[in-house]
Structures are given as C-alpha cells and as structure tokens.
Amino acid sequence: MEKKAKFEPAQRLKELPPYVFAEIEAKKKALEAKGVEIINLGRGDPDLPTPPHIVQRLKDALKKPGFNRYPSYVGITEFRRAAARWYKKRFGVSFDPETEVISLIGSKEGVSHAPMAYIDQGDIALFPDPCFPIFYTSILFAKGRPFPMPLSEENAFLPDLGKIPPEVAEGAKLISLNYPNNPTTGVATKDFFREVVRFAKKYHLIVLQDQAYSEISYDNHYVPSIFEVDGAMDVGIEFHSLSKTYNMAGWRIGYAVGNAELVGYLSMVKTNIDVGIFEPIQMAGVEALEGDQSGVDELRRIYQRRRDILVAGLREAGLEFRIPQATFYLWARVPSGHTSASFADHLLEKAGVMVTPGNGFGKSGEGYVRFAFTVPEEDLHEAVRRLAKLQTGE
Ligand SMILES: *Cc1c(COP(=O)(O)O)cnc(C)c1O
C-alpha cells in the first residue's frame, strides 16, 4: 500500500525542475532485470583507481593522534598552501593561502553554496544552458532569478555575452561558467575570459568559474585559468576539484581560489553549515597536489585512447559532433527525426548503450546526447560495435 505524503515539501523543492533522467534510469533497470548487459556511458564518474601514494598518505594520516577531532573550517594550512603552490606551478598565478584559498567538500559543495554567499532574493544570476544541474538549482535555493545563457555549437559552446540584454546584465549579480565544459566539452580561451572580465566589470558581476576538468585535456590543448587574465582577481572565484584529476570523486575534496572577499563570504556560509573536510583526507589531498604527478599524464593518455575509439566508432555510426579537446565526454547531435530523449531511448533499447539525453542539462541541450568515456576500452569497442550494427540494421 502506498503511503500518503504527510508533509508538504518546502517551496524551493517544489520549484526544482523535474528529474528528466528518472525515466531512462527506470528503463535501464528494467532491461537489466531481463538480463540485458548495458554499457553505461551515462555517468561522468571516474572509473580508474586513486593513485596508491595518495591512498597511502591517508593511511599514514590515520596513525596520527587527533585525526578524529573537528577539522578547521576553511581547511588545514598545509592543504591550502598545497593548492596555492599547485596553482602557481600550473598557471603562474599566486594566491595567499590564508585569505584567497578555501577547501571544499568537492567543488560541487562550493558551487552549490556560492549563490547563498553572493546573491539576495530576486537578484539575477546568469548561468550556462546546458549545465551541470547544480549551477541552476543553487540559484533557486538562494532565491535568485536564474537567467540562462545558451551555449550553442555555432559559438563553440561559449555564451554570447553580447546577446545578454543590458537590462538583464544590469540587474544581475553573478555569472557562472564551467570550462572545460560539462556537458558540451566546450573550452574557453584566454580571450574569452578577457571578455568575461570586461563584462563583469562593466556590470559589477561576480564571476564563478568551475574548472573541475582543467587537467583532462587532449592533443596538447592548453586549458587556461581565468586568473591568467588581468583584472580577474577583482571579480572572480574559481572552483577546483581533485575528483577528476586524481580519481578521487568519492573522497569529496576540492577547493576554490580567488578574490579574498569572495572567498571570505563563501567561508562564512560554510562555517555556518559544516566544519570542513576530515583531516586525513586533506593530508591525502596535499599528497595528490604535491606528490608524483605522473599518474595525471597517464590518465590523460588513457582517456585520449578511449576518446579516439569513441570518435572513430561514432563517426562510423554516422553521428555528428565536435571532437572533444577536454573532459571525458562526447557531446553528439542526435540524428534528424529524434529528440534527445527518443535517441537515448533508442540506443538503450536497441543497443543496450546508455547515454545521457542532453535536455536533462537544460533547454539548450535538446538535440544532443552525452557519451561519457569513464569505462574501459573493451566496453567502448563493444558499444561502438553495437552502434554500427544498429546503423546497418543487422
Ligand atoms: C564532476 C564535476 C565537478 C566535480 O565535483 P566534485 O564535487 O569536486 O566531485 C564539478 N563540476 C562539474 C561541472 C563536474 O562535472
């Protein structure tokens, strides 16, 4: 017997968009129950192990008395220093670990709390469409007014800032970006970041840039930080994650760097919500950022081989897409006559290949599906074999 709901959820929960992935997930479960072997290219969840030296550092940290105590709110000094040093080495930009760096329980935590720190009820917040859903929902939770910036293929999946109506920009307080981009795989140039900084200064906007995929790039493509651009320090905060670079998604550790005021306000929100990351995990994070980096090169090689298998196979199957230069996704146009949802269904039911329908990331994602190559090469070979068969109707 179904239980009748006893409580009304809060308005903010009622305002959440419907979870469009629920239907396809239910179909996948039903097929699996029938014994169909599904190849899941739907989840952007790194499948490779965390490098052993990082795991060892966690074990060592557990031997230190006091590891069980409350950690520091903003993150232990060693971790914030390691993050600042990593940024300096990677992008040539310096941050004060005391005031311009904050540790996060994964970058998702930071991105989700940021609007609460920066916007008031009714403030407009510009966000990319399509996007990692938290960009949108976090604005709703902060009672802001989300205003989508469409990311179109013609504009290389960068928002066209010139198309934002001036009256909207005037009323806006925040602009969120995510480059390299999930789900479109778009990448930002320094010129684009320059344009963003100019725009932000003109309209007094705070720039939030999520850089979770900065180290996952191919063909020697250079991924810049927004802070390589003059003036970014006046307006920006950049979110970084150890999840993708070091295969640490389940560890929940990331950080943000940027303007001291912006870091400080985010820290005020965090201080009132949580008490920081388990210290041994922060020590492992120090090891990740400062220890042997050869695993990162190897990781890029592995993803690049996977990408190449997928690119060749999907071309063979007649799909159209831009070759991803970064992230572990491929964002493909759906064949004519299909919607995102119908094509994802088709691939699941006819080939047992699960992908993510693009409309789940926002209105402008309609007409696309996202393939994640977070599975071994054999699985990708098998997936493209199945898609080729589908194509020839065998
Ligand atoms: C995976 C991902 C992250 C990383 O989130 P964590 O909370 O650090 O694990 C952040 N942003 C985007 C867009 C992602 O796809």
Side-chain angles (χ1 to χ4, degrees):
M1 209 176 81
E2 211 169 293
K3 262 201 191 150
K4 214 173 145 232
K6 208 167 148 195
F7 302 107
E8 278 281 301
Q11 189 59 30
R12 69 174 64 79
L13 294 189
K14 291 186 192 167
E15 282 169 9
L16 288 176
Y19 184 61
V20 304
F21 304 132
E23 209 174 311
I24 190 156
E25 277 166 15
K27 281 184 187 153
K28 171 179 172 264
K29 269 200 185 145
L31 284 170
E32 276 174 337
K34 282 198 241 162
V36 180
E37 271 200 37
I38 308 286
I39 300 174
N40 190 352
L41 307 183
R43 287 191 74 196
D45 182 4
D47 59 310
L48 293 162
T50 305
H53 64 102
I54 300 174
V55 178
Q56 187 57 46
R57 185 64 170 269
L58 169 72
K59 290 181 185 165
D60 293 344
L62 287 172
K63 292 176 193 148
K64 217 175 95 184
F67 73 84
N68 57 305
R69 311 286 306 266
Y70 280 121
S72 112
Y73 284 103
V74 292
I76 56 174
T77 310
E78 291 98 310
F79 180 71
R80 282 179 290 128
R81 276 197 195 135
R85 272 198 291 261
W86 185 90
Y87 241 83
K88 174 77 183 158
K89 218 163 124 188
R90 170 68 172 82
F91 301 109
V93 187
S94 301
F95 292 96
D96 177 354
E98 292 304 322
T99 56
E100 295 170 339
V101 182
I102 183 172
S103 72
L104 299 169
I105 313 170
S107 52
K108 180 174 178 182
E109 184 254 323
V111 170
S112 69
H113 284 145
M116 230 191 283
Y118 306 141
I119 68 175
D120 284 311
Q121 180 156 3
D123 284 339
I124 295 173
L126 307 167
F127 73 101
D129 169 24
C131 69
F132 190 47
I134 188 73
F135 281 100
Y136 172 77
T137 53
S138 61
I139 299 166
L140 287 185
F141 279 3
K143 301 223 170 271
R145 282 159 56 200
F147 188 89
M149 302 180 291
L151 307 183
S152 71
E153 197 163 341
E154 302 81 77
N155 207 40
F157 300 117
L158 297 170
D160 186 343
L161 301 180
K163 281 201 181 135
I164 298 165
E167 66 277 14
V168 170
E170 294 282 359
K173 205 165 167 202
L174 180 69
I175 178 170
S176 309
L177 301 169
N178 163 217
Y179 290 102
N181 185 256
N182 173 14
T184 68
T185 78
V187 289
T189 56
K190 275 198 230 176
D191 278 342
F192 171 72
F193 282 143
R194 262 183 216 110
E195 200 192 320
V196 168
V197 169
R198 260 199 308 274
F199 184 80
K201 289 201 168 184
K202 178 169 176 192
Y203 293 108
H204 302 289
L205 302 178
I206 293 164
V207 183
L208 184 161
Q209 147 65 5
D210 173 356
Q211 217 200 18
Y213 296 95
S214 72
E215 305 315 295
I216 314 295
S217 67
Y218 311 112
D219 312 321
N220 297 318
H221 171 79
Y222 181 76
V223 174
S225 157
I226 193 168
F227 293 111
E228 289 176 59
V229 161
D230 282 344
M233 209 49 194
D234 303 332
V235 293
I237 181 163
E238 194 159 67
F239 292 79
H240 219 95
S241 172
L242 276 62
S243 297
K244 311 293 156 68
T245 313
Y246 303 105
N247 297 318
M248 292 177 76
W251 294 63
R252 310 313 302 134
I253 182 162
Y255 61 93
V257 296
N259 178 281
E261 261 182 81
L262 298 179
V263 167
Y265 300 148
L266 183 58
S267 147
M268 282 170 75
V269 172
K270 277 181 62 66
T271 308
N272 282 284
I273 289 176
D274 84 83
V275 275
I277 308 163
F278 187 43
E279 268 194 31
I281 290 181
Q282 295 192 60
M283 292 314 293
V286 171
E287 178 64 27
L289 294 168
E290 308 231 290
D292 180 12
Q293 300 293 308
S294 60
V296 187
D297 292 326
E298 179 57 14
L299 185 66
R300 273 190 285 265
R301 280 195 287 274
I302 292 170
Y303 282 137
Q304 183 155 335
R305 279 200 301 271
R306 291 176 177 181
R307 179 201 68 165
D308 293 344
I309 293 167
L310 199 57
V311 163
L314 295 185
R315 274 204 181 134
E316 194 76 8
L319 290 183
E320 288 176 27
F321 50 85
R322 292 168 143 248
I323 297 175
Q325 289 178 291
T327 76
F328 41 58
Y329 305 110
L330 187 147
W331 184 240
R333 258 178 269 164
V334 305
S336 64
H338 269 297
T339 61
S340 294
S342 76
F343 189 57
D345 269 358
H346 178 69
L347 295 183
L348 183 61
E349 280 166 15
K350 298 289 180 349
V353 173
M354 173 126 170
V355 299
T356 311
N359 62 316
F361 300 104
K363 227 172 73 189
S364 300
E366 181 52 56
Y368 292 87
V369 291
R370 192 192 71 179
F371 294 79
F373 38 98
T374 45
V375 299
E377 287 182 30
E378 309 86 83
D379 289 11
L380 289 170
H381 280 302
E382 173 62 16
V384 297
R385 248 195 309 273
R386 292 185 192 179
L387 296 185
K389 262 198 196 165
L390 197 60
Q391 170 80 357
T392 55
E394 271 174 55

